[in-house]
Amino acid sequence: MPGYSFFATLKDGEVNEGEHLMAWTPVGAPESGVLVPAAAAVMSAGKFWFYVEEKPGTFVRTELDPSRPTPDGYFVKEGISPGDKIVVAAAGQLLARETNPSTEAE
């Protein structure tokens, strides 16, 4: 076919001959950003969020732009820096506690 050709190594061998695949490849100038794991994403009020540990025991909900998905999560350019700690387990519990704080004993 005329046009650009790309070759890739696939993680999973369950692709049959002639099967159509969707693939993305970066073009243009490199961009700085961080990979936010898919397990860190929570959804609330129609938006995606993740939690960053601001200081030990203090977590800040940060909006996630889901328009840059990767096989392992999301590429994020704002709201996080390399080395920041991200909540990847129980983020839904943090969201529930933040949006509906309970002052009564359970």
Side-chain angles (χ1 to χ4, degrees):
M1 280 210 261
Y4 294 103
S5 294
F6 296 95
F7 295 93
T9 303
L10 303 176
K11 290 181 183 178
D12 190 357
E14 295 186 22
V15 177
N16 297 315
E17 185 176 339
E19 194 167 342
H20 291 259
L21 303 174
M22 302 263 319
W24 291 266
T25 184
V27 293
E31 294 182 87
S32 297
V34 175
L35 175 66
V36 173
V42 292
M43 191 172 185
S44 176
K47 295 182 180 181
F48 287 85
W49 306 90
F50 65 99
Y51 283 90
V52 177
E53 187 174 37
E54 188 175 68
K55 59 184 180 179
T58 303
F59 304 96
V60 177
R61 184 168 42 133
T62 306
E63 190 170 351
L64 171 67
D65 178 4
S67 68
R68 311 258 328 245
T70 72
D72 300 318
Y74 300 92
F75 180 77
V76 178
K77 296 181 354 178
E78 298 173 352
I80 188 169
S81 300
D84 285 354
K85 293 181 180 179
I86 302 171
V87 175
V88 293
Q93 290 177 339
L94 279 175
L95 178 65
R97 178 72 63 152
E98 179 184 7
T99 56
N100 188 18
S102 174
T103 55
E104 298 178 20
E106 294 182 9

